Amino acid sequence: AMATLLRLFLLLTMFAAATRAFSTAGRVALRPAATRPAFVRAMSSTDGPDTTIVDTCKEKIQSALDTVDVKVTGAYDDPNGSHIAVEVVSDKFEGKRPVQRQQLVYKAIWEELQGPVHAVDSMVCKTPDEAAK
C-alpha cells in the first residue's frame, strides 16, 4: 500500500511539473524578445535578440556537418521550445551507422542540449544519395 501511494505521489508530482512547463513555455515564447525575462533571452539566443534556439541549432549543424540540407523545427511550432526535431542531409554521413550519424548531430548541438534544448524528439540523418531516393 505504501509503495502504491509513493508511485501515485510521484506520478502526480511529475504531471504537475509537466503541466507547469508546458503552460508557461508558450506564453514566454510569444512575447517579443525585448520584453522576455533576461534568463529566457539568454536561453533562446546566442547570436542576438532575434535569433531563436532553432536557428542556432540549425546554424551549428550546418557548420559542423557541411550539410546539403538541414531542417530544425521546434515542437508545437515554438521556435524557443525545449523539444526540437532535426532532419539532416550530409556527405559526412557516408559509411556511418545511424547511431554514429546521430552522434555527429548531437555533438554539433551539445551546448544547447545542456541548457535550452531538453530533447530531440526525432532525428533523420541521410546521405545525399539516400535523400534523392
Side-chain angles (χ1 to χ4, degrees):
M2 185 60 124
T4 303
L5 287 174
L6 181 60
R7 283 190 198 121
L8 181 60
F9 174 75
L10 291 174
L11 182 64
L12 290 173
T13 303
M14 290 188 311
F15 178 75
T19 302
R20 282 192 305 274
F22 284 110
S23 66
T24 59
R27 286 195 308 261
V28 172
L30 295 176
R31 288 183 183 174
T35 62
R36 293 182 197 151
F39 73 91
V40 174
R41 285 194 308 267
M43 286 177 47
S44 65
S45 172
T46 57
D47 297 330
D50 296 329
T51 302
T52 65
I53 194 63
V54 168
D55 294 334
T56 300
C57 289
K58 182 176 179 178
E59 290 167 10
K60 287 191 173 190
I61 292 168
Q62 283 175 326
S63 175
L65 300 177
D66 298 322
T67 58
V68 173
D69 186 34
V70 62
K71 182 178 177 185
V72 178
T73 55
Y76 315 110
D77 295 323
D78 178 8
N80 291 314
S82 61
H83 290 245
I84 61 172
V86 179
E87 295 178 31
V88 187
V89 178
S90 174
D91 289 322
K92 291 192 176 186
F93 295 147
E94 286 292 341
K96 302 249 189 282
R97 296 186 317 263
V99 170
Q100 292 173 317
R101 295 174 182 194
Q102 291 173 357
Q103 287 171 336
L104 290 172
V105 175
Y106 281 125
K107 183 177 181 182
I109 59 171
W110 184 251
E111 193 174 299
E112 286 64 36
L113 288 168
Q114 304 311 302
V117 177
H118 174 70
V120 178
D121 290 343
S122 69
M123 187 184 306
V124 178
C125 303
K126 295 182 178 181
T127 64
D129 290 340
E130 292 167 345
K133 293 179 184 178

